[in-house]
Amino acid sequence: MKINDSKKTVYGVFLLFLLMFSFQSFAFFPSGGFDEFNVLRLARWPFYELDTNNDGKITVGEGVGVYIEEGKRGFKPEEIEDIISAIEVWNSVPTSYASVRIAGYYQDPLSLTIPDALPTISMYVTEADVTDETIEADPETVDVGGGILAVTITLFTVTDTLYEVNGQIYPLSAGMIIDRDIVVSATAHRTGVEGIKADLKSTLVHELGHFLGLDHTPLNNLRAVYLTPTDELPAYLVENEVVWMTLPNGEAKYVGATPTMFPIYFEVELPNGTREDGGKDLAPDDISGISWLYPRGAQENFFDIRHEARSRTRRGSGIPSIPLPGGHVVAWADVDNNGYTTRVPLFSTLVGLYEPLINKQLQGKFNLIGLWKTMEVPGKQGEIFTPTYTLTLSPMNGTGLDRQAPPGMSPSYVDSIQGPNSYSVTTRSDSDYQVSFMSEVFHEVENIIDVSKKDAGTPLVWNFAMNTVVSAVSGRTIPQMRPYLKPMFGDPNDVCPLNIIEVNTGTGGGTTTTPTTPTTPTIPTGGSISFTNDLRSFRDTFLMNSDLGLVLVDMYYTIAPILARAMLKDEFVMKIAIGVVLMILNSKWLIYVIGVVLLLLTSFWGIVRMRAGRSRTTRLFQGGSRRLFLIFMLLNFGLLPTVSSRIAYLTTEQLVEASDAVVSSKVVSVNSYMTKNMKIYTDVEIEVIDTIKGDINEGSSLVFTIIGGETNGFVMVCSEMPKFNEGDEVIVYLRYLPKSKKWTLYAGTRSVTSVNTDETTGKKYVMPYSEIDMLYFNQDKKVVSKSSAGEEDSNEGNIPYEEYIKYLKNLKSK
Ligand SMILES: [Zn+2]
């Protein structure tokens, strides 16, 4: 896939019109990212993908077509029933047009020779699952490891790029989803271990949320239950059902407040004391999220609160307040219409989630969208009330579920727009988030310190007469409660007011905006993108000023993604397009002309396609079905009570036991590449320093392969897979795949422990790669410090490297 840079520019021009107009960016944790022009692109399915019959509306039976794996290595008929009911959960949200339909079924084996752009839901069967002659193991390629029940793999483009297959070159626009697949572990859902089996429907409801474009949320109404006071790990996470809702099937009942998009398995406690998987149904936050991504109808029951969160500072001290990106803003609702009961966390967002990194001062802005104006009165058929909300701001510092800072969930983990797993071209670094500030509760007179006092905050309520949100106590609007650019949380930046470019003060009640930038993100000028900027200005100054131009541009944005996708399959169209672009290589002026031609061309294409109707999908599929790529190892599934329908964890002892090799090593090189069927893998070469387990010589080098990576403008994201850099020192837990003769990580991020050297003492320490594994690390630490008599280490509680290696070797010999 080597294409020289000048050609790239040419294709960049061709793809220029895929630059979207900036649009209002709003709340939840949608997957997406900012492109190189700081335009937000959401990774949701475009309307035309759902409008199966092209009639402009989405009705029963339409939706994103997915292919389901059946047959000897696929889902059994009764499991397909679970898939159907999981799909129905998302399809039946009345305020959303999101829908998924089963487009067909397929079986292994599959062709490897053509690009795969077909959404699928497949079962991954390992050798361990071969319990009768009708089941065969899927051919193994790359293992995503243990403790993962299902993954949603997304292939997308981060920049305008080219894809080459069989000598043909295809341009792809930035931010395009090429493919999204759900892969489910057979072991976890069929056999399980120790009598615990994951619930297939719950797993799929969660994964389908990812499939449609929602990311993980830290919002929860859970409590961790410990069996004994000394337990390091909670036995389970549980909530009670407290929100009264009439479900689409007409049944009115209580549901939980914790979204299905919460990343760790949790349960609901039923009135009779039994517990069941909490991920089966949608909480209000899920419903608001999907309704925002795919709005059906007027969305009249939703409202949003846009404001700002900054640090506190002593006035007059000369020290400016700073924005607090990464803070968790939570709306706590009075769900039972009784002011004397405790509030329930119902909706949330991250401070700065939608603010591109170009302006530091804007990083303190937040947008909490999808709050409900009315809710149903519990137990009363059809009666509604207007709930009140208090708002809190808390740092994502792992201090607790109830403080809305779940352990292990850092701001980068949940930053779905600019975190390391987002689609952003430039992602935030850890220092771009704020985690050390005091939590506070919004109060119209003066905020109250500490999120646990949430019930004492000013209750906000939707006022239908004023068409805005007001204080339920004083009736004042947010701009009245927070005049003069004063943020809802923290202190205004009164030291250097010129830094403030734009301040939105709530919705409905009038927006105070200083007369500089409107909502359009700033486009960086000059440099390598001047070419495309010319075209942008052409679009903005010429096309946008004529009615015809507007129509064309509008049509283009509707059709272009189809075009690019269809081009993957149509060499003839591509050759013409590339030829035309090459002709005008050196003429700027001609580029303007060709821009218009391309607009017309794509508009025409759209018309042709409308006539072609549904045949496109069918045709694409005939090219060959696919094979699966992931191997799940869930040897120890079920041993832990916190086993998850999303993530399940392994203790260090279990990890050592299950891995074929455990080594401490230094990363020598990292190389990502794309296979012919558009899957990205990364080969990581390491030099082995210490062998803890396995037949690997110290000093030798070893290559292991993991799924996911970035290459030539494509990114493939697979949940829970780590990233490596040259020079990293790591302890890794490896698994050997005998058929492909490859090494891979045993359990995603859990199988990586970082080794750091103290700059001053030169002493080495270890810490978990992912903060979410801190629980296990703390347990390790207890054992290690018990065995190393009294020797205090000064490195912030990290475990000394030598001690840790000794500890691991000891675990092996057990
Ligand atoms: Zn997930």
Side-chain angles (χ1 to χ4, degrees):
M1 218 153 76
K2 267 256 157 34
I3 289 115
N4 68 44
D5 282 345
S6 70
K7 268 192 188 167
K8 239 178 206 169
T9 316
V10 176
Y11 298 136
V13 169
F14 175 72
L15 291 163
L16 165 84
F17 287 98
L18 294 185
L19 294 171
M20 307 281 265
F21 290 111
S22 60
F23 49 90
Q24 287 284 351
S25 53
F26 294 121
F28 306 108
F29 292 86
S31 43
F34 287 99
D35 67 12
E36 64 268 51
F37 306 106
N38 290 303
V39 176
L40 179 66
R41 296 169 182 276
L42 290 171
R44 66 179 156 193
W45 296 101
F47 187 87
Y48 64 80
E49 286 278 2
L50 289 86
D51 185 15
T52 313
N53 62 8
N54 296 301
D55 67 349
K57 48 184 196 279
I58 290 148
T59 47
V60 175
E62 297 186 74
V64 179
V66 295
Y67 293 86
I68 312 289
E69 186 188 21
E70 58 172 10
K72 57 184 179 178
R73 286 193 283 233
F75 293 100
K76 296 172 181 176
E78 64 270 25
E79 290 168 336
I80 290 173
E81 289 305 309
D82 280 338
I83 299 177
I84 290 167
S85 66
I87 287 175
E88 202 44 42
V89 167
W90 291 101
N91 283 8
S92 59
V93 176
T95 46
S96 154
Y97 68 77
S99 54
V100 174
R101 77 192 154 88
I102 298 179
Y105 296 88
Y106 71 97
Q107 293 188 25
D108 282 332
L110 305 151
S111 161
L112 286 172
T113 53
I114 53 151
D116 170 7
L118 293 170
T120 59
I121 302 178
S122 55
M123 187 59 121
Y124 198 85
V125 179
T126 69
E127 281 161 57
D129 302 314
V130 183
T131 49
D132 61 60
E133 66 267 56
T134 59
I135 303 174
E136 269 175 40
D138 278 287
E140 58 188 323
T141 307
V142 170
D143 189 340
V144 297
I148 297 170
L149 310 193
V151 290
T152 301
I153 307 164
T154 303
L155 175 68
F156 63 96
T157 54
V158 279
T159 55
D160 292 345
T161 189
L162 299 169
Y163 177 69
E164 187 191 316
V165 62
N166 299 332
Q168 297 297 317
I169 294 162
Y170 306 95
L172 297 171
S173 64
M176 219 174 101
I177 300 174
I178 311 294
D179 196 11
R180 216 168 233 169
D181 302 306
I182 297 173
V183 186
V184 179
S185 156
T187 319
H189 298 88
R190 283 182 181 160
T191 48
V193 176
E194 306 280 301
I196 298 176
K197 267 198 277 185
D199 181 85
L200 182 60
K201 181 185 169 186
S202 298
T203 297
L204 282 163
V205 170
H206 178 89
E207 298 302 328
L208 282 163
H210 288 314
F211 183 87
L212 289 166
L214 288 171
D215 220 324
H216 291 148
T217 175
L219 179 72
N220 76 93
N221 191 33
L222 301 168
R223 55 186 193 277
V225 177
Y226 295 84
L227 296 181
T228 69
T230 51
D231 282 355
E232 194 78 48
L233 303 172
Y236 51 89
L237 306 179
V238 70
E239 69 172 339
N240 294 91
E241 298 183 310
V242 290
V243 181
W244 184 262
M245 258 194 323
T246 302
L247 303 182
N249 64 10
E251 181 197 1
K253 67 183 285 267
Y254 282 108
V255 299
T258 306
T260 193
M261 298 318 293
F262 187 76
I264 303 168
Y265 175 86
F266 64 94
E267 297 175 329
V268 288
E269 191 171 77
L270 304 176
N272 66 11
T274 59
R275 304 192 308 266
E276 61 174 42
D277 194 314
K280 280 192 182 88
D281 50 21
L282 303 184
D285 184 74
D286 299 312
I287 292 170
S288 292
I290 204 68
S291 304
W292 180 72
L293 285 176
Y294 305 91
R296 185 196 287 279
Q299 306 288 298
E300 57 202 6
N301 196 37
F302 301 116
F303 70 99
D304 63 318
I305 294 174
R306 288 183 75 154
H307 224 276
E308 197 178 15
R310 303 181 67 89
S311 64
R312 289 174 162 249
T313 180
R314 224 175 69 238
R315 298 203 85 167
S317 67
I319 297 170
S321 69
I322 55 163
L324 296 176
H328 193 198
V329 178
V330 177
W332 302 74
D334 172 26
V335 291
D336 58 0
N337 197 22
N338 175 350
Y340 296 102
T341 53
T342 192
R343 291 176 172 274
V344 172
L346 218 54
F347 304 102
S348 81
T349 190
L350 209 67
V351 177
L353 185 64
Y354 303 98
E355 300 303 331
L357 290 161
I358 46 172
N359 187 315
K360 288 269 180 230
Q361 292 301 325
L362 297 185
Q363 302 292 305
K365 289 175 59 170
F366 66 83
N367 195 352
L368 190 57
I369 203 176
L371 279 71
W372 293 7
K373 293 175 187 171
T374 64
M375 292 183 73
E376 296 177 55
V377 180
K380 303 259 174 88
Q381 192 69 43
E383 222 175 282
I384 56 169
F385 71 103
T386 51
T388 62
Y389 299 90
T390 58
L391 259 52
T392 60
L393 167 74
S394 44
M396 292 287 293
N397 57 3
T399 47
L401 292 163
D402 52 332
R403 302 181 65 80
Q404 297 303 314
M409 280 186 222
S410 58
S412 65
Y413 181 85
V414 290
D415 185 348
S416 59
I417 301 291
Q418 291 171 95
N421 288 325
S422 70
Y423 294 41
S424 278
V425 172
T426 312
T427 57
R428 280 192 172 107
S429 67
D430 282 343
S431 59
D432 290 327
Y433 299 100
Q434 298 291 336
V435 287
S436 44
F437 54 89
M438 288 183 288
S439 63
E440 50 186 283
V441 185
F442 171 73
H443 194 283
E444 59 183 308
V445 177
E446 190 174 353
N447 283 6
I448 301 157
I449 296 297
D450 196 348
V451 57
S452 68
K453 303 206 176 91
K454 68 203 188 264
D455 292 336
T458 293
L460 301 172
V461 68
W462 184 259
N463 182 313
F464 283 92
M466 294 167 74
N467 201 35
T468 189
V469 61
V470 298
S471 158
V473 178
S474 67
R476 294 194 297 169
T477 63
I478 292 174
Q480 285 167 341
M481 290 186 273
R482 286 291 185 266
Y484 314 116
L485 309 180
K486 197 177 180 330
M488 270 184 109
F489 299 100
D491 292 321
N493 180 15
D494 54 1
V495 175
C496 188
L498 290 177
N499 279 350
I500 301 172
I501 286 186
E502 182 202 12
V503 177
N504 286 302
T505 50
T507 55
T511 300
T512 316
T513 309
T514 51
T516 45
T517 329
T519 47
T520 316
T522 311
I523 297 150
T525 50
S528 60
I529 54 161
S530 61
F531 222 38
T532 46
N533 274 348
D534 286 339
L535 278 167
R536 283 175 70 91
S537 67
F538 171 67
R539 180 199 68 195
D540 294 341
T541 54
F542 175 69
L543 285 179
M544 296 306 285
N545 284 328
S546 74
D547 288 346
L548 176 67
L550 276 173
V551 169
L552 285 177
V553 170
D554 216 42
M555 280 183 85
Y556 187 81
Y557 287 115
T558 314
I559 287 149
I562 309 173
L563 176 75
R565 198 162 164 164
M567 276 184 179
L568 270 173
K569 298 286 171 189
D570 198 328
E571 291 175 18
F572 178 68
V573 174
M574 265 315 300
K575 274 181 183 158
I576 294 175
I578 290 171
V580 172
V581 174
L582 284 172
M583 262 164 43
I584 48 97
L585 177 60
N586 290 314
S587 166
K588 257 191 184 179
W589 180 80
L590 267 170
I591 286 166
Y592 293 160
V593 177
I594 205 67
V596 178
V597 171
L598 287 176
L599 280 171
L600 288 165
L601 183 74
T602 50
S603 308
F604 172 70
W605 180 280
I607 293 157
V608 171
R609 189 189 162 270
M610 305 254 271
R611 292 215 177 125
R614 348 177 16 158
S615 64
R616 182 179 67 95
T617 347
T618 327
R619 202 173 57 238
L620 284 178
F621 193 61
Q622 279 164 356
S625 37
R626 46 177 292 120
R627 60 176 280 189
L628 298 179
F629 259 70
L630 305 170
I631 289 183
F632 288 86
M633 273 301 299
L634 286 140
L635 263 182
N636 293 297
F637 179 81
L639 295 179
L640 292 171
T642 46
V643 126
S644 148
S645 76
R646 297 99 222 181
I647 312 170
Y649 295 120
L650 300 162
T651 64
T652 307
E653 189 174 350
Q654 289 170 327
L655 257 182
V656 173
E657 194 192 314
S659 304
D660 295 319
V662 183
V663 297
S664 126
S665 64
K666 189 169 189 153
V667 176
V668 179
S669 69
V670 180
N671 175 34
S672 296
Y673 52 92
M674 184 183 270
T675 59
K676 277 193 169 166
N677 60 342
M678 301 187 84
K679 290 282 184 290
I680 298 176
Y681 294 95
T682 301
D683 282 348
V684 182
E685 188 188 354
I686 52 170
E687 187 192 315
V688 176
I689 298 168
D690 263 315
T691 302
I692 294 134
K693 184 183 180 182
D695 280 336
I696 298 163
N697 291 334
E698 291 173 6
S700 68
S701 90
L702 178 151
V703 175
F704 64 87
T705 307
I706 54 176
I707 191 161
E710 179 166 358
T711 179
N712 291 330
F714 292 93
V715 167
M716 177 166 265
V717 171
C718 178
S719 42
E720 297 305 306
M721 285 313 248
K723 283 177 185 164
F724 293 92
N725 294 308
E726 216 177 293
D728 284 354
E729 282 192 54
V730 286
I731 298 168
V732 285
Y733 298 81
L734 300 169
R735 172 170 142 75
Y736 187 66
L737 310 170
K739 282 184 194 161
S740 55
K741 297 190 171 55
K742 278 187 171 184
W743 287 95
T744 186
L745 285 180
Y746 182 74
T749 54
R750 175 73 183 107
S751 39
V752 182
T753 307
S754 304
V755 179
N756 299 308
T757 307
D758 187 312
E759 299 270 307
T760 47
T761 62
K763 220 178 151 188
K764 285 183 177 181
Y765 296 91
V766 298
M767 60 186 306
Y769 173 88
S770 170
E771 279 175 70
I772 215 157
D773 298 322
M774 212 61 197
L775 285 171
Y776 298 93
F777 185 73
N778 287 338
Q779 222 170 27
D780 292 345
K781 198 153 68 182
K782 275 191 182 168
V783 183
V784 174
S785 61
K786 236 178 253 170
S787 61
S788 65
E791 207 192 304
E792 275 298 308
D793 76 81
S794 53
N795 194 282
E796 290 169 19
N798 289 333
I799 305 177
Y801 173 80
E802 300 297 337
E803 304 276 346
Y804 197 64
I805 296 292
K806 224 186 287 173
Y807 162 71
L808 292 181
K809 285 182 175 168
N810 209 22
L811 284 180
K812 189 201 81 177
S813 54
K814 260 187 188 174

